[in-house]
Amino acid sequence: MEFVVFMTLPGLVILLTAVAFVDRVLLPRLGRGRGGRVSATGFEMLHASLLPGKEHELKQRRTVALMREEEGDGAPPHSTVDLRRGTAVIRPRDLP
């Protein structure tokens, strides 16, 4: 009978809430778990099934996570920025 309850949408939300409680409260106190990853994934999948735009957002996140970031990406050309020292050097480029 309990299986039938959890197959409904309100039952699924109740089950996900219970898993989130265990995942975020009980497991960290016992020294286990990774701090809510299981419950966050479950709620994101539920959200994606109810809103079509969320599925697109999740696919975009996966794509961005796989892309490699280069050191010079997004920096202005002919410049260097040192965040540790708090300095930026901008060199004017030679015009022909």
Side-chain angles (χ1 to χ4, degrees):
M1 182 66 183
E2 292 84 21
F3 180 73
V4 174
V5 171
F6 291 126
M7 293 298 291
T8 64
L9 190 57
L12 180 61
V13 171
I14 292 169
L15 179 66
L16 282 174
T17 305
V19 169
F21 177 76
V22 169
D23 198 22
R24 292 201 177 247
V25 176
L26 297 180
L27 290 180
R29 287 187 182 181
L30 297 174
R32 303 179 201 157
R34 292 184 258 178
R37 289 188 184 175
V38 174
S39 59
T41 303
F43 277 111
E44 283 185 348
M45 291 297 116
L46 176 65
H47 194 190
S49 67
L50 297 175
L51 294 173
K54 184 67 173 182
E55 185 176 348
H56 176 68
E57 179 186 334
L58 293 175
K59 285 181 183 177
Q60 183 66 26
R61 277 191 210 169
R62 281 185 242 132
T63 303
V64 169
L66 294 176
M67 294 174 66
R68 193 172 89 187
E69 293 184 22
E70 299 291 333
E71 184 175 324
D73 284 353
H78 309 290
S79 67
T80 57
V81 177
D82 187 0
L83 295 177
R84 290 192 179 121
R85 285 192 272 171
T87 60
V89 177
I90 300 174
R91 295 181 194 89
R93 61 179 188 193
D94 298 329
L95 297 175

